[in-house]
Amino acid sequence: DQLRQHQYGMQAGRTFRAMHRVVSEGLQSGDVPPTRLTPEQIVFCIASTAIGSHIMVGNPHAAMMAGIDDPSQAVCQNLGVLWDGLGWKPLSGEWDYEAVDRRIKQEVFPEATWFKP
């Protein structure tokens, strides 16, 4: 219905604005090296990778053909490849992002069943 679509659009807008803020701060701080891409293009790339990854792992046949056992991990890995490709510091090989995810799960979402770091 229209109300639900409006609410979805509002939340999507909030998400894109938050992502834009993080990307812009990364560029300003030097955590993301200078690039020809605009913050908007980087946000679009991140969102496209995340959404595409969710679609692929949500398709049991595609996930099976790709050898994906853990869909959540696959989405995170895909985004890590993207961020590493942008040179976003610290690179995945320089930081234990899985430990960060575990800490977030324990401290922020202890009862969540959907968050599986």
Side-chain angles (χ1 to χ4, degrees):
D1 71 3
Q2 286 185 344
L3 177 59
R4 180 176 227 119
Q5 287 177 347
H6 175 74
Q7 291 171 334
Y8 177 80
M10 295 297 291
Q11 294 306 314
R14 286 182 60 207
T15 301
F16 273 82
R17 286 189 300 279
M19 288 172 50
H20 188 277
R21 194 168 38 256
V22 170
V23 168
S24 295
E25 289 173 7
L27 288 163
Q28 290 170 358
S29 71
D31 287 344
V32 180
T35 176
R36 296 179 326 196
L37 299 173
T38 66
E40 293 80 11
Q41 289 170 315
I42 294 171
V43 168
F44 184 79
C45 189
I46 293 168
S48 298
T49 300
I51 292 167
S53 296
H54 281 286
I55 290 169
M56 287 295 293
V57 298
N59 179 329
H61 299 295
M64 181 185 70
M65 287 187 291
I68 301 301
D69 295 326
D70 185 341
S72 296
Q73 184 182 31
V75 172
C76 290
Q77 287 172 337
N78 289 350
L79 289 168
V81 168
L82 170 65
W83 295 327
D84 282 355
L86 288 168
W88 200 315
K89 301 291 183 187
L91 299 175
S92 60
E94 302 170 346
W95 191 260
D96 188 355
Y97 285 105
E98 290 178 12
V100 173
D101 288 344
R102 287 190 300 274
R103 183 174 173 203
I104 291 169
K105 165 75 168 131
Q106 290 172 342
E107 295 178 17
V108 180
F109 302 108
E111 289 89 27
T113 57
W114 53 267
F115 191 168
K116 299 174 183 161

